[in-house]
């Protein structure tokens, strides 16, 4: 298992470097970080513009800029921002912690719902329950992320107006001031996470439940499940140890592949609910043509995706003994 894990980790290194190189070129060539400075009226002195150009390393060839940025990562230096007072490393890490709790909780909720819906739909194929889950799945698949998030936000506002108090929070990832101790702050944070988590989770659940249903149907019709039943094993034991365990392998693959889509969906969800997370950090960086802030977001995102894909690879070994023994 250790050799398998190391091999998968080593494969991720060239993928990571290639992705950073492509995005760096795209970000560096898409705009001029000095545009905001040049748009000031009256324009600043040429010496000021040249000093800013040197500070942002725009006086260097683009390949040299990339190499200096890449080697600087090993020293914890993410490069200079167009906002001279901002430390990119501290800012992107604090913002990403906000987004990460949303993404991980939404993934967990989506997986639980997808497994339950997929298994029940497969076991009760062509029943009313199956058709109901199928309808719900296709309904959420047809909904754009931003539209569904806006609907939930409006529903939360209407619910609060109906009960006459703030039950569902619709703005921000936490309150500016929370009276009380640590437990009150935890409850406040949890209250702000309800609607964004539901928005992100249900859209992922829709596709994953269909994959789980298809995988479960395939396993239930396999020879080894028929053999387990013929041996007289209890139905629950057959479903849990033989059918479900194998059927989770395709869902694990799909979840790992969809991780990038979930993070991009979090960008939209954070914008709707006005969270100060990694999504808004990325949008602000793009608006300012802040190349190094964009690259910092990519590095953290790529690292999260690589780590969770490695976890998915390890789960293959847990779910399929043939991989573990090999």
């Amino acid at each position: 298992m250790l050799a398998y894990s190391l091999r998968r980790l080593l494969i991720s290194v060239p993928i990571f470097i290639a992705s950073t190189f492509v995005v760096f070129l795209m970000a560096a060539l898409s705009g001029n970080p000095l545009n905001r400075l040049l748009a000031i009226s009256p324009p600043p002195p040429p010496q000021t513009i040249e000093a800013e150009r040197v500070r942002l390393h725009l006086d260097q060839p683009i390949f040299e800029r990339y190499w200096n940025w890449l080697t600087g990562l090993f020293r914890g230096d993410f490069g200079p921002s167009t906002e001279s007072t901002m430390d990119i490393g501290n800012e992107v890490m604090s913002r990403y912690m906000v987004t990460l709790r949303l993404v991980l909780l939404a993934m967990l909720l989506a997986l639980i719902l997808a497994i339950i819906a997929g298994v029940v739909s497969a076991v009760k194929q062509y029943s009313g329950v199956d058709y109901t889950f199928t309808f719900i799945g296709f309904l959420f698949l047809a909904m754009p992320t931003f539209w569904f998030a806006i609907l939930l936000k409006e529903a939360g506002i209407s619910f609060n107006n109906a009960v006459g108090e703030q039950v569902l929070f619709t703005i921000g990832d936490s309150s500016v001031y929370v009276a009380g101790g640590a437990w009150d702050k935890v409850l406040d944070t949890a209250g702000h996470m309800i609607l964004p988590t539901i928005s992100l989770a249900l859209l992922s659940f829709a596709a994953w439940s269909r994959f789980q249903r298809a995988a479960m149907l395939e396993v239930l019709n396999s020879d080894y499940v028929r053999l387990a039943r013929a041996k007289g094993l209890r139905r629950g034991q057959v479903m849990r140890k033989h059918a479900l365990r194998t059927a989770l392998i395709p869902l694990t693959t799909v979840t790992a592949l969809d991780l990038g889509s979930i993070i991009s969906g979090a960008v939209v969800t954070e914008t709707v609910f006005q969270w100060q997370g990694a999504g808004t950090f990325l949008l602000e960086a793009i608006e300012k043509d802040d190349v190094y802030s964009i690259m910092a977001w990519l590095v953290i995102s790529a690292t999260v995706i690589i780590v969770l894909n490695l976890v998915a690879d390890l789960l293959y070994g847990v779910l399929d003994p043939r991989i573990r023994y090999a």
Side-chain angles (χ1 to χ4, degrees):
M1 250 334 242
L2 180 59
Y4 174 76
S5 304
L6 291 176
R7 186 165 61 250
R8 299 300 299 175
L9 187 60
L10 290 175
I11 292 174
S12 302
V13 173
I15 297 175
F16 173 80
I17 294 176
S19 64
T20 59
F21 179 69
V22 171
V23 175
F24 188 91
L25 289 181
M26 294 174 62
L29 298 175
S30 62
N32 184 4
L34 298 177
N35 281 338
R36 296 179 65 199
L37 187 63
L38 296 173
I40 298 176
S41 181
Q47 296 85 349
T48 303
I49 297 176
E50 182 61 24
E52 185 69 4
R53 185 168 173 269
V54 172
R55 188 182 71 83
L56 296 176
H57 304 161
L58 298 177
D59 58 326
Q60 302 173 359
I62 190 167
F63 293 103
E64 183 180 349
R65 288 171 59 194
Y66 171 75
W67 176 253
N68 291 335
W69 169 81
L70 186 63
T71 54
L73 286 180
F74 296 100
R75 303 189 302 270
D77 182 12
F78 285 88
S81 170
T82 53
E83 298 289 340
S84 58
T85 58
M86 184 177 77
D87 186 323
I88 293 179
N90 292 336
E91 184 70 14
V92 73
M93 289 302 297
S94 62
R95 295 283 198 99
Y96 222 100
M97 292 305 296
V98 173
T99 298
L100 206 56
R101 72 187 185 207
L102 170 63
V103 169
L104 294 179
L105 184 58
M107 286 182 62
L108 179 61
L109 178 60
L111 282 171
I112 293 173
L113 293 176
I115 293 172
I116 294 174
V119 171
V120 172
S121 293
V123 173
K124 299 183 178 296
Q125 187 181 17
Y126 303 135
S127 66
V129 175
D130 183 22
Y131 288 128
T132 300
F133 280 130
T134 299
F135 173 76
I136 293 173
F138 283 120
L139 180 65
F140 285 120
L141 279 173
M143 288 186 181
T145 304
F146 72 92
W147 187 67
F148 183 52
I150 292 173
L151 286 181
L152 278 179
K153 185 174 183 178
E154 291 298 323
I157 294 173
S158 300
F159 180 81
N160 291 336
N161 292 335
V163 299
E165 60 178 318
Q166 186 80 23
V167 177
L168 299 174
F169 295 90
T170 57
I171 296 178
D173 57 277
S174 60
S175 300
V176 177
Y177 173 75
V178 180
W183 179 246
D184 296 290
K185 293 181 180 179
V186 171
L187 292 177
D188 176 76
T189 301
H192 282 82
M193 291 185 65
I194 293 175
L195 294 180
T197 301
I198 292 175
S199 172
L200 199 58
L202 289 184
L203 295 176
S204 300
F205 144 80
W208 293 352
S209 65
R210 307 311 301 162
F211 278 104
Q212 182 62 25
R213 178 184 182 274
M216 196 69 183
L217 283 174
E218 182 179 355
V219 171
L220 289 176
N221 294 322
S222 62
D223 293 336
Y224 68 88
V225 171
R226 292 195 186 101
L227 176 61
R229 289 174 176 171
K231 289 169 63 177
L233 295 179
R234 293 191 302 273
R235 179 181 176 84
Q237 188 177 3
V238 173
M239 294 292 296
R240 186 176 63 257
K241 291 188 176 181
H242 296 275
L244 180 58
R245 184 171 179 173
T246 305
L248 286 176
I249 296 176
L251 181 61
T252 303
T253 303
V254 171
T255 303
L257 293 175
D258 283 352
L259 183 56
S261 300
I262 296 173
I263 293 177
S264 64
V267 174
V268 178
T269 304
E270 286 181 0
T271 303
V272 172
F273 290 97
Q274 301 177 35
W275 278 36
Q276 293 302 310
T280 52
F281 177 86
L282 175 64
L283 295 178
E284 291 167 2
I286 293 174
E287 183 181 358
K288 300 172 185 175
D289 293 319
D290 195 341
V291 176
Y292 294 105
S293 292
I294 295 173
M295 294 306 301
W297 184 90
L298 171 70
V299 168
I300 305 299
S301 300
T303 302
V304 171
I305 291 174
I306 288 172
V307 169
L308 292 185
N309 270 270
L310 180 60
V311 172
D313 289 337
L314 297 179
L315 285 177
Y316 294 152
V318 175
L319 298 171
D320 189 345
R322 292 172 299 178
I323 297 176
R324 182 168 66 251
Y325 295 151

